[in-house]
Amino acid sequence: MKNYVAKPQVGFTEAIQKNFSNLTNFTGRARRSEFWWNVLVWFILSITVSFALSSLPAINTVCGIIIMMCFLAVTARRLQDSGHSAIWVYINFICVIALTLYLQFSGVQEDLLAVQQSGDPDKTLQIALSYFMSPLYLIPVTIGTITGIPTVIFCFMDSVFVANKYGESPKYVIEGE
């Protein structure tokens, strides 16, 4: 039986460099440390861009989608490293895009703002329910939740020791090699 040993964790700088050099690479595998350092960067970047562009909703939406797309490849590689298909994150991404487009173009934000300014809380609830009970909202939220929870769980899982159909393990090597 072969003994496998783990390589040292990927540091912050190395993880970010790997991600930026592989923004369009959906094949292969990514270690947990590489993935989670990138989660931190993309989370901070998302909040910063959202705050800076809050007065420009259309540009804010486009920037948010671009940021998600940059994060998509490393998430796909992370799922593959733990032995799972990247289809989980692709479905989730489609649901997020559908929700973003719905909220951007349905008029919900404008209607809720107008009703809130009128000061009628019953009307605010009625408007909110009319939009958020729509199948155009409920279906992607449901599917996104169903695919999102396993995606997060899979991203926490350890690397598969041996080569899998996505490539060699970026973490484990056979002791002495």
Side-chain angles (χ1 to χ4, degrees), residues 57-120:
I59 295 172
N60 192 0
T61 299
V62 169
C63 287
I65 290 171
I66 290 169
I67 290 169
M68 283 188 300
M69 289 174 65
C70 292
F71 189 63
L72 194 61
V74 74
T75 307
R77 291 192 312 273
R78 176 71 212 122
L79 290 175
Q80 292 165 173
D81 184 50
S82 64
H84 298 90
S85 172
I87 194 75
W88 292 94
V89 74
Y90 301 148
I91 293 170
N92 195 270
F93 180 71
I94 290 167
C95 291
V96 169
I97 296 295
L99 282 171
T100 301
L101 293 173
Y102 174 74
L103 293 174
Q104 185 68 37
F105 297 112
S106 67
V108 65
Q109 295 165 340
E110 294 82 8
D111 288 351
L112 285 174
L113 185 61
V115 171
Q116 284 175 342
Q117 289 172 348
S118 73
D120 185 359

